[in-house]
């Protein structure tokens, strides 16, 4: 099985940091997720940046629909692979 990578898209840095911190408690994620600032195309204002929480799932054991519902609690979503 190939490595699976989940990308959660969040509206701001605070939400992304909260989600990253909750992943271990909620889903038993051992590996630290990566936070990535994703500036929207053509936007100069840093406030308009979305934040991505990139989660490696080498065992492919995380449930995509559960991750999507979790991200939705923070006004985010799971990016389709």
């Amino acid at each position: 099985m190939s490595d699976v990578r989940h990308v959660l898209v969040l509206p701001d840095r605070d939400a992304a940091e909260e989600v990253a911190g909750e992943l271990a408690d909620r889903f038993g994620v051992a590996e630290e997720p990566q936070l990535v600032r994703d500036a929207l195309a053509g936007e100069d204002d840093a406030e308009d940046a979305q934040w991505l929480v990139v989660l490696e799932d080498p065992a492919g054991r995380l449930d995509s629909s559960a991750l999507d519902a979790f991200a939705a609690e923070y006004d985010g979503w799971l990016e389709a692979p």
Side-chain angles (χ1 to χ4, degrees):
M1 175 183 280
S2 63
D3 286 0
V4 177
R5 173 179 288 158
H6 302 283
V7 179
L8 303 175
V9 182
L10 284 306
D12 56 46
R13 183 181 186 140
D14 289 344
E17 288 177 345
E18 242 180 276
V19 164
E22 279 285 311
L23 283 166
D25 295 339
R26 199 83 74 99
F27 295 95
V29 173
E31 198 172 318
E32 188 71 27
Q34 181 184 1
L35 297 182
V36 180
R37 181 177 173 273
D38 183 32
L40 300 174
E43 294 293 340
D44 294 329
D45 189 354
E47 295 303 309
D48 289 331
Q50 291 176 320
W51 282 77
L52 308 179
V53 177
V54 181
L55 188 58
E56 301 296 334
D57 184 19
R61 62 178 189 79
L62 296 172
D63 182 332
S64 294
S65 57
L67 286 170
D68 189 44
F70 174 59
E73 293 174 25
Y74 296 88
D75 297 321
W77 64 90
L78 176 67
E79 191 70 20

